[in-house]
Amino acid sequence: MSRSRTIATAAAAALVLGLSGCGGEGAGGGGGGAAASEAPEDLVIGVAMPTQTSERWIADGAAVQAGLEEAGYQVDVQFAGDDIPTQQQQVDQMITQGADALVIAAIDGTALSGQLDAAAAAGIPVISYDRLIRDSENVDFYVTFDNYNVGVQQGTALLTGLGVLNEDGSPGQAEGPFNVELFAGSLDDNNAQFFWDGAIDTLQPYLDDGTLVVPSGQTGIEQAATLRWDQGTAQRRMEDLLTSSYAGGTRVDGVLSPYDGISRGIITALQNRGYGGADNPMPAITGQDAEIASVKLIADGVQDSTIFKDTRKLADQAVVTTEAFLAGEEPEANDTETYDNGVKVVPSYLLDSDVVYADDIQPLLVDSGYYTAEEVEAGQAS
Ligand code: BGC
């Protein structure tokens, strides 16, 4: 369904039903509500995604929409261009147009409390998608990956790329010392701290025994952070690091990067300084999301690794969770301890992720149908 038609339908539904969730007490209040007795085709699910500048969120938006439509629901998907007021406005509008459930991947996890209060007042269940919405009582469920473990995988991949570990986790031949630099994600995204903690806990013993050295001395998450996960911001920081800490022939051996877009910024900065030639190899650079441009860089030996988080599985989980809420049931959680959003521990369903090195592209990404071999070859989704 086209977006304009979806919205028109949503508006019509809102007129007929009033705020259709109003009759219910909301998922947080024990489930059920007006929605439980309605057919899926009479129900509208609002899906708020952060941005279309990253492939991952485009894929998430498409997969959630397809899954919900297949389950029979009407769907209103909105992307907010990484702009917080735009996302607030989009969620406000979904609520006033009578959404029956909300699936939200927040830009700033602390900026949606007002919207969530309104959703709760209207009895609309809220599912936090991939990123935890913080500082609100009214987050009913969280579907995500095991974010701490993603960080462990990134730290392990950096050590593997340096040859300190082998791919099977056993000790490798290389002893160092290796010069590494550390990048973190956007601090308004709850995930950034989890990725960082998992990675740093993994790297700390090697920092402590001198196997790894951070010549810039920038080892705190605030120093390493990248606002909005922005590629250009990461490129500028890498350029600054090269200028300040790598004069006179000191080489960067590895870079911890939490996301493929950040990795591409880092790679551009390094290439501009002559890295990537035969006598000046690229450092080992990690990533996340298996974005197609980065998968090609891995195939070409430019980036060392990424983390594959199968957005199809996350979308399926969002659909299953939505269906449970709208049937007046409690969705199944597999973690009820980890994700404290500052007000409460949000019941969560965590999925597994995989490290992708060059050898893993075929089995993990192509054989599973995530990309075609042609897309990997072109570095572009078709
Ligand atoms: C997601 C990552 C993604 C990052 C940047 C995080 O919240 O979990 O998969 O790389 O945002 O979009």
Side-chain angles (χ1 to χ4, degrees), residues 204-223:
Q204 196 62 54
Y206 301 90
L207 290 162
D208 289 344
D209 73 9
T211 305
L212 304 181
V213 178
V214 182
S216 70
Q218 298 190 8
T219 54
I221 189 169
E222 282 83 11
Q223 294 167 306

mmCIF file with all atom_site columns, all heavy atoms in Angstrom, residues 204-223:
data_model
loop_
_atom_site.group_PDB
_atom_site.id
_atom_site.type_symbol
_atom_site.label_atom_id
_atom_site.label_alt_id
_atom_site.label_comp_id
_atom_site.label_asym_id
_atom_site.label_entity_id
_atom_site.label_seq_id
_atom_site.pdbx_PDB_ins_code
_atom_site.Cartn_x
_atom_site.Cartn_y
_atom_site.Cartn_z
_atom_site.occupancy
_atom_site.B_iso_or_equiv
_atom_site.pdbx_formal_charge
_atom_site.auth_seq_id
_atom_site.auth_comp_id
_atom_site.auth_asym_id
_atom_site.auth_atom_id
_atom_site.pdbx_PDB_model_num
ATOM 1   N N   . GLN A 1 204 ? 40.072 -5.000  27.334 1.00 0.00 ? 204 GLN A N   1
ATOM 2   C CA  . GLN A 1 204 ? 40.783 -4.465  28.515 1.00 0.00 ? 204 GLN A CA  1
ATOM 3   C C   . GLN A 1 204 ? 42.008 -5.284  28.922 1.00 0.00 ? 204 GLN A C   1
ATOM 4   O O   . GLN A 1 204 ? 43.080 -4.704  29.163 1.00 0.00 ? 204 GLN A O   1
ATOM 5   C CB  . GLN A 1 204 ? 39.806 -4.320  29.695 1.00 0.00 ? 204 GLN A CB  1
ATOM 6   C CG  . GLN A 1 204 ? 40.325 -3.418  30.824 1.00 0.00 ? 204 GLN A CG  1
ATOM 7   C CD  . GLN A 1 204 ? 40.554 -1.980  30.343 1.00 0.00 ? 204 GLN A CD  1
ATOM 8   O OE1 . GLN A 1 204 ? 39.645 -1.370  29.799 1.00 0.00 ? 204 GLN A OE1 1
ATOM 9   N NE2 . GLN A 1 204 ? 41.761 -1.463  30.516 1.00 0.00 ? 204 GLN A NE2 1
ATOM 10  N N   . PRO A 1 205 ? 41.922 -6.620  28.990 1.00 0.00 ? 205 PRO A N   1
ATOM 11  C CA  . PRO A 1 205 ? 43.122 -7.373  29.396 1.00 0.00 ? 205 PRO A CA  1
ATOM 12  C C   . PRO A 1 205 ? 44.301 -7.108  28.455 1.00 0.00 ? 205 PRO A C   1
ATOM 13  O O   . PRO A 1 205 ? 45.465 -7.094  28.910 1.00 0.00 ? 205 PRO A O   1
ATOM 14  C CB  . PRO A 1 205 ? 42.679 -8.841  29.293 1.00 0.00 ? 205 PRO A CB  1
ATOM 15  C CG  . PRO A 1 205 ? 41.185 -8.814  29.306 1.00 0.00 ? 205 PRO A CG  1
ATOM 16  C CD  . PRO A 1 205 ? 40.752 -7.483  28.782 1.00 0.00 ? 205 PRO A CD  1
ATOM 17  N N   . TYR A 1 206 ? 44.032 -6.881  27.186 1.00 0.00 ? 206 TYR A N   1
ATOM 18  C CA  . TYR A 1 206 ? 45.095 -6.657  26.202 1.00 0.00 ? 206 TYR A CA  1
ATOM 19  C C   . TYR A 1 206 ? 45.612 -5.219  26.281 1.00 0.00 ? 206 TYR A C   1
ATOM 20  O O   . TYR A 1 206 ? 46.759 -4.951  25.952 1.00 0.00 ? 206 TYR A O   1
ATOM 21  C CB  . TYR A 1 206 ? 44.591 -6.990  24.791 1.00 0.00 ? 206 TYR A CB  1
ATOM 22  C CG  . TYR A 1 206 ? 44.126 -8.431  24.679 1.00 0.00 ? 206 TYR A CG  1
ATOM 23  C CD1 . TYR A 1 206 ? 42.805 -8.777  24.946 1.00 0.00 ? 206 TYR A CD1 1
ATOM 24  C CD2 . TYR A 1 206 ? 45.033 -9.439  24.354 1.00 0.00 ? 206 TYR A CD2 1
ATOM 25  C CE1 . TYR A 1 206 ? 42.385 -10.095 24.865 1.00 0.00 ? 206 TYR A CE1 1
ATOM 26  C CE2 . TYR A 1 206 ? 44.624 -10.760 24.273 1.00 0.00 ? 206 TYR A CE2 1
ATOM 27  C CZ  . TYR A 1 206 ? 43.294 -11.083 24.533 1.00 0.00 ? 206 TYR A CZ  1
ATOM 28  O OH  . TYR A 1 206 ? 42.889 -12.392 24.457 1.00 0.00 ? 206 TYR A OH  1
ATOM 29  N N   . LEU A 1 207 ? 44.740 -4.297  26.719 1.00 0.00 ? 207 LEU A N   1
ATOM 30  C CA  . LEU A 1 207 ? 45.202 -2.923  26.980 1.00 0.00 ? 207 LEU A CA  1
ATOM 31  C C   . LEU A 1 207 ? 46.065 -2.933  28.243 1.00 0.00 ? 207 LEU A C   1
ATOM 32  O O   . LEU A 1 207 ? 47.107 -2.275  28.316 1.00 0.00 ? 207 LEU A O   1
ATOM 33  C CB  . LEU A 1 207 ? 44.001 -1.984  27.157 1.00 0.00 ? 207 LEU A CB  1
ATOM 34  C CG  . LEU A 1 207 ? 43.182 -1.701  25.890 1.00 0.00 ? 207 LEU A CG  1
ATOM 35  C CD1 . LEU A 1 207 ? 41.800 -1.133  26.229 1.00 0.00 ? 207 LEU A CD1 1
ATOM 36  C CD2 . LEU A 1 207 ? 43.934 -0.728  24.960 1.00 0.00 ? 207 LEU A CD2 1
ATOM 37  N N   . ASP A 1 208 ? 45.632 -3.702  29.219 1.00 0.00 ? 208 ASP A N   1
ATOM 38  C CA  . ASP A 1 208 ? 46.358 -3.745  30.498 1.00 0.00 ? 208 ASP A CA  1
ATOM 39  C C   . ASP A 1 208 ? 47.743 -4.363  30.348 1.00 0.00 ? 208 ASP A C   1
ATOM 40  O O   . ASP A 1 208 ? 48.696 -3.913  30.990 1.00 0.00 ? 208 ASP A O   1
ATOM 41  C CB  . ASP A 1 208 ? 45.555 -4.551  31.543 1.00 0.00 ? 208 ASP A CB  1
ATOM 42  C CG  . ASP A 1 208 ? 44.310 -3.809  31.997 1.00 0.00 ? 208 ASP A CG  1
ATOM 43  O OD1 . ASP A 1 208 ? 44.218 -2.583  31.749 1.00 0.00 ? 208 ASP A OD1 1
ATOM 44  O OD2 . ASP A 1 208 ? 43.410 -4.452  32.586 1.00 0.00 ? 208 ASP A OD2 1
ATOM 45  N N   . ASP A 1 209 ? 47.873 -5.399  29.499 1.00 0.00 ? 209 ASP A N   1
ATOM 46  C CA  . ASP A 1 209 ? 49.194 -6.063  29.414 1.00 0.00 ? 209 ASP A CA  1
ATOM 47  C C   . ASP A 1 209 ? 50.068 -5.493  28.302 1.00 0.00 ? 209 ASP A C   1
ATOM 48  O O   . ASP A 1 209 ? 51.152 -6.009  28.020 1.00 0.00 ? 209 ASP A O   1
ATOM 49  C CB  . ASP A 1 209 ? 49.036 -7.591  29.285 1.00 0.00 ? 209 ASP A CB  1
ATOM 50  C CG  . ASP A 1 209 ? 48.546 -8.032  27.900 1.00 0.00 ? 209 ASP A CG  1
ATOM 51  O OD1 . ASP A 1 209 ? 48.473 -7.198  26.964 1.00 0.00 ? 209 ASP A OD1 1
ATOM 52  O OD2 . ASP A 1 209 ? 48.236 -9.227  27.745 1.00 0.00 ? 209 ASP A OD2 1
ATOM 53  N N   . GLY A 1 210 ? 49.577 -4.413  27.653 1.00 0.00 ? 210 GLY A N   1
ATOM 54  C CA  . GLY A 1 210 ? 50.426 -3.727  26.679 1.00 0.00 ? 210 GLY A CA  1
ATOM 55  C C   . GLY A 1 210 ? 50.366 -4.312  25.272 1.00 0.00 ? 210 GLY A C   1
ATOM 56  O O   . GLY A 1 210 ? 51.046 -3.814  24.371 1.00 0.00 ? 210 GLY A O   1
ATOM 57  N N   . THR A 1 211 ? 49.552 -5.351  25.050 1.00 0.00 ? 211 THR A N   1
ATOM 58  C CA  . THR A 1 211 ? 49.398 -5.883  23.686 1.00 0.00 ? 211 THR A CA  1
ATOM 59  C C   . THR A 1 211 ? 48.790 -4.807  22.793 1.00 0.00 ? 211 THR A C   1
ATOM 60  O O   . THR A 1 211 ? 49.155 -4.665  21.623 1.00 0.00 ? 211 THR A O   1
ATOM 61  C CB  . THR A 1 211 ? 48.467 -7.128  23.690 1.00 0.00 ? 211 THR A CB  1
ATOM 62  O OG1 . THR A 1 211 ? 48.987 -8.078  24.613 1.00 0.00 ? 211 THR A OG1 1
ATOM 63  C CG2 . THR A 1 211 ? 48.359 -7.751  22.312 1.00 0.00 ? 211 THR A CG2 1
ATOM 64  N N   . LEU A 1 212 ? 47.842 -4.055  23.362 1.00 0.00 ? 212 LEU A N   1
ATOM 65  C CA  . LEU A 1 212 ? 47.213 -2.947  22.638 1.00 0.00 ? 212 LEU A CA  1
ATOM 66  C C   . LEU A 1 212 ? 47.599 -1.633  23.302 1.00 0.00 ? 212 LEU A C   1
ATOM 67  O O   . LEU A 1 212 ? 47.604 -1.528  24.535 1.00 0.00 ? 212 LEU A O   1
ATOM 68  C CB  . LEU A 1 212 ? 45.677 -3.074  22.657 1.00 0.00 ? 212 LEU A CB  1
ATOM 69  C CG  . LEU A 1 212 ? 45.058 -4.360  22.135 1.00 0.00 ? 212 LEU A CG  1
ATOM 70  C CD1 . LEU A 1 212 ? 43.530 -4.280  22.212 1.00 0.00 ? 212 LEU A CD1 1
ATOM 71  C CD2 . LEU A 1 212 ? 45.483 -4.655  20.696 1.00 0.00 ? 212 LEU A CD2 1
ATOM 72  N N   . VAL A 1 213 ? 47.861 -0.640  22.446 1.00 0.00 ? 213 VAL A N   1
ATOM 73  C CA  . VAL A 1 213 ? 48.203 0.698   22.931 1.00 0.00 ? 213 VAL A CA  1
ATOM 74  C C   . VAL A 1 213 ? 47.298 1.667   22.185 1.00 0.00 ? 213 VAL A C   1
ATOM 75  O O   . VAL A 1 213 ? 47.042 1.483   20.986 1.00 0.00 ? 213 VAL A O   1
ATOM 76  C CB  . VAL A 1 213 ? 49.681 1.024   22.601 1.00 0.00 ? 213 VAL A CB  1
ATOM 77  C CG1 . VAL A 1 213 ? 50.049 2.428   23.042 1.00 0.00 ? 213 VAL A CG1 1
ATOM 78  C CG2 . VAL A 1 213 ? 50.605 -0.004  23.225 1.00 0.00 ? 213 VAL A CG2 1
ATOM 79  N N   . VAL A 1 214 ? 46.790 2.690   22.884 1.00 0.00 ? 214 VAL A N   1
ATOM 80  C CA  . VAL A 1 214 ? 45.967 3.707   22.220 1.00 0.00 ? 214 VAL A CA  1
ATOM 81  C C   . VAL A 1 214 ? 46.790 4.999   22.187 1.00 0.00 ? 214 VAL A C   1
ATOM 82  O O   . VAL A 1 214 ? 46.779 5.769   23.151 1.00 0.00 ? 214 VAL A O   1
ATOM 83  C CB  . VAL A 1 214 ? 44.625 3.914   22.967 1.00 0.00 ? 214 VAL A CB  1
ATOM 84  C CG1 . VAL A 1 214 ? 43.752 4.935   22.235 1.00 0.00 ? 214 VAL A CG1 1
ATOM 85  C CG2 . VAL A 1 214 ? 43.880 2.596   23.132 1.00 0.00 ? 214 VAL A CG2 1
ATOM 86  N N   . PRO A 1 215 ? 47.515 5.262   21.080 1.00 0.00 ? 215 PRO A N   1
ATOM 87  C CA  . PRO A 1 215 ? 48.426 6.414   21.061 1.00 0.00 ? 215 PRO A CA  1
ATOM 88  C C   . PRO A 1 215 ? 47.743 7.750   21.343 1.00 0.00 ? 215 PRO A C   1
ATOM 89  O O   . PRO A 1 215 ? 48.348 8.636   21.945 1.00 0.00 ? 215 PRO A O   1
ATOM 90  C CB  . PRO A 1 215 ? 49.004 6.382   19.637 1.00 0.00 ? 215 PRO A CB  1
ATOM 91  C CG  . PRO A 1 215 ? 48.980 4.930   19.276 1.00 0.00 ? 215 PRO A CG  1
ATOM 92  C CD  . PRO A 1 215 ? 47.700 4.417   19.882 1.00 0.00 ? 215 PRO A CD  1
ATOM 93  N N   . SER A 1 216 ? 46.476 7.905   20.957 1.00 0.00 ? 216 SER A N   1
ATOM 94  C CA  . SER A 1 216 ? 45.792 9.181   21.221 1.00 0.00 ? 216 SER A CA  1
ATOM 95  C C   . SER A 1 216 ? 45.452 9.345   22.691 1.00 0.00 ? 216 SER A C   1
ATOM 96  O O   . SER A 1 216 ? 45.139 10.443  23.144 1.00 0.00 ? 216 SER A O   1
ATOM 97  C CB  . SER A 1 216 ? 44.492 9.264   20.419 1.00 0.00 ? 216 SER A CB  1
ATOM 98  O OG  . SER A 1 216 ? 43.545 8.343   20.955 1.00 0.00 ? 216 SER A OG  1
ATOM 99  N N   . GLY A 1 217 ? 45.445 8.250   23.419 1.00 0.00 ? 217 GLY A N   1
ATOM 100 C CA  . GLY A 1 217 ? 45.030 8.298   24.819 1.00 0.00 ? 217 GLY A CA  1
ATOM 101 C C   . GLY A 1 217 ? 43.522 8.452   24.991 1.00 0.00 ? 217 GLY A C   1
ATOM 102 O O   . GLY A 1 217 ? 43.031 8.582   26.108 1.00 0.00 ? 217 GLY A O   1
ATOM 103 N N   . GLN A 1 218 ? 42.782 8.428   23.881 1.00 0.00 ? 218 GLN A N   1
ATOM 104 C CA  . GLN A 1 218 ? 41.328 8.655   23.973 1.00 0.00 ? 218 GLN A CA  1
ATOM 105 C C   . GLN A 1 218 ? 40.620 7.318   24.213 1.00 0.00 ? 218 GLN A C   1
ATOM 106 O O   . GLN A 1 218 ? 40.164 6.657   23.277 1.00 0.00 ? 218 GLN A O   1
ATOM 107 C CB  . GLN A 1 218 ? 40.836 9.345   22.708 1.00 0.00 ? 218 GLN A CB  1
ATOM 108 C CG  . GLN A 1 218 ? 41.491 10.722  22.551 1.00 0.00 ? 218 GLN A CG  1
ATOM 109 C CD  . GLN A 1 218 ? 40.871 11.572  21.461 1.00 0.00 ? 218 GLN A CD  1
ATOM 110 O OE1 . GLN A 1 218 ? 39.845 11.238  20.887 1.00 0.00 ? 218 GLN A OE1 1
ATOM 111 N NE2 . GLN A 1 218 ? 41.497 12.707  21.169 1.00 0.00 ? 218 GLN A NE2 1
ATOM 112 N N   . THR A 1 219 ? 40.512 6.984   25.490 1.00 0.00 ? 219 THR A N   1
ATOM 113 C CA  . THR A 1 219 ? 39.973 5.672   25.835 1.00 0.00 ? 219 THR A CA  1
ATOM 114 C C   . THR A 1 219 ? 38.620 5.740   26.554 1.00 0.00 ? 219 THR A C   1
ATOM 115 O O   . THR A 1 219 ? 38.101 4.719   26.979 1.00 0.00 ? 219 THR A O   1
ATOM 116 C CB  . THR A 1 219 ? 40.964 4.909   26.742 1.00 0.00 ? 219 THR A CB  1
ATOM 117 O OG1 . THR A 1 219 ? 41.259 5.754   27.859 1.00 0.00 ? 219 THR A OG1 1
ATOM 118 C CG2 . THR A 1 219 ? 42.251 4.569   26.002 1.00 0.00 ? 219 THR A CG2 1
ATOM 119 N N   . GLY A 1 220 ? 38.058 6.934   26.677 1.00 0.00 ? 220 GLY A N   1
ATOM 120 C CA  . GLY A 1 220 ? 36.742 7.057   27.321 1.00 0.00 ? 220 GLY A CA  1
ATOM 121 C C   . GLY A 1 220 ? 35.644 7.131   26.270 1.00 0.00 ? 220 GLY A C   1
ATOM 122 O O   . GLY A 1 220 ? 35.874 7.620   25.153 1.00 0.00 ? 220 GLY A O   1
ATOM 123 N N   . ILE A 1 221 ? 34.451 6.670   26.628 1.00 0.00 ? 221 ILE A N   1
ATOM 124 C CA  . ILE A 1 221 ? 33.367 6.637   25.635 1.00 0.00 ? 221 ILE A CA  1
ATOM 125 C C   . ILE A 1 221 ? 32.996 8.046   25.159 1.00 0.00 ? 221 ILE A C   1
ATOM 126 O O   . ILE A 1 221 ? 32.652 8.242   23.997 1.00 0.00 ? 221 ILE A O   1
ATOM 127 C CB  . ILE A 1 221 ? 32.133 5.852   26.162 1.00 0.00 ? 221 ILE A CB  1
ATOM 128 C CG1 . ILE A 1 221 ? 31.112 5.646   25.022 1.00 0.00 ? 221 ILE A CG1 1
ATOM 129 C CG2 . ILE A 1 221 ? 31.486 6.529   27.364 1.00 0.00 ? 221 ILE A CG2 1
ATOM 130 C CD1 . ILE A 1 221 ? 29.994 4.681   25.350 1.00 0.00 ? 221 ILE A CD1 1
ATOM 131 N N   . GLU A 1 222 ? 33.097 9.052   26.054 1.00 0.00 ? 222 GLU A N   1
ATOM 132 C CA  . GLU A 1 222 ? 32.747 10.413  25.611 1.00 0.00 ? 222 GLU A CA  1
ATOM 133 C C   . GLU A 1 222 ? 33.700 10.881  24.517 1.00 0.00 ? 222 GLU A C   1
ATOM 134 O O   . GLU A 1 222 ? 33.290 11.541  23.570 1.00 0.00 ? 222 GLU A O   1
ATOM 135 C CB  . GLU A 1 222 ? 32.778 11.423  26.771 1.00 0.00 ? 222 GLU A CB  1
ATOM 136 C CG  . GLU A 1 222 ? 31.554 11.365  27.672 1.00 0.00 ? 222 GLU A CG  1
ATOM 137 C CD  . GLU A 1 222 ? 31.674 10.265  28.704 1.00 0.00 ? 222 GLU A CD  1
ATOM 138 O OE1 . GLU A 1 222 ? 32.795 9.706   28.847 1.00 0.00 ? 222 GLU A OE1 1
ATOM 139 O OE2 . GLU A 1 222 ? 30.658 9.931   29.352 1.00 0.00 ? 222 GLU A OE2 1
ATOM 140 N N   . GLN A 1 223 ? 34.980 10.557  24.679 1.00 0.00 ? 223 GLN A N   1
ATOM 141 C CA  . GLN A 1 223 ? 35.964 10.956  23.658 1.00 0.00 ? 223 GLN A CA  1
ATOM 142 C C   . GLN A 1 223 ? 35.762 10.179  22.357 1.00 0.00 ? 223 GLN A C   1
ATOM 143 O O   . GLN A 1 223 ? 36.007 10.685  21.269 1.00 0.00 ? 223 GLN A O   1
ATOM 144 C CB  . GLN A 1 223 ? 37.385 10.669  24.168 1.00 0.00 ? 223 GLN A CB  1
ATOM 145 C CG  . GLN A 1 223 ? 37.783 11.521  25.357 1.00 0.00 ? 223 GLN A CG  1
ATOM 146 C CD  . GLN A 1 223 ? 39.053 10.974  25.994 1.00 0.00 ? 223 GLN A CD  1
ATOM 147 O OE1 . GLN A 1 223 ? 39.145 9.808   26.345 1.00 0.00 ? 223 GLN A OE1 1
ATOM 148 N NE2 . GLN A 1 223 ? 40.039 11.835  26.145 1.00 0.00 ? 223 GLN A NE2 1
#
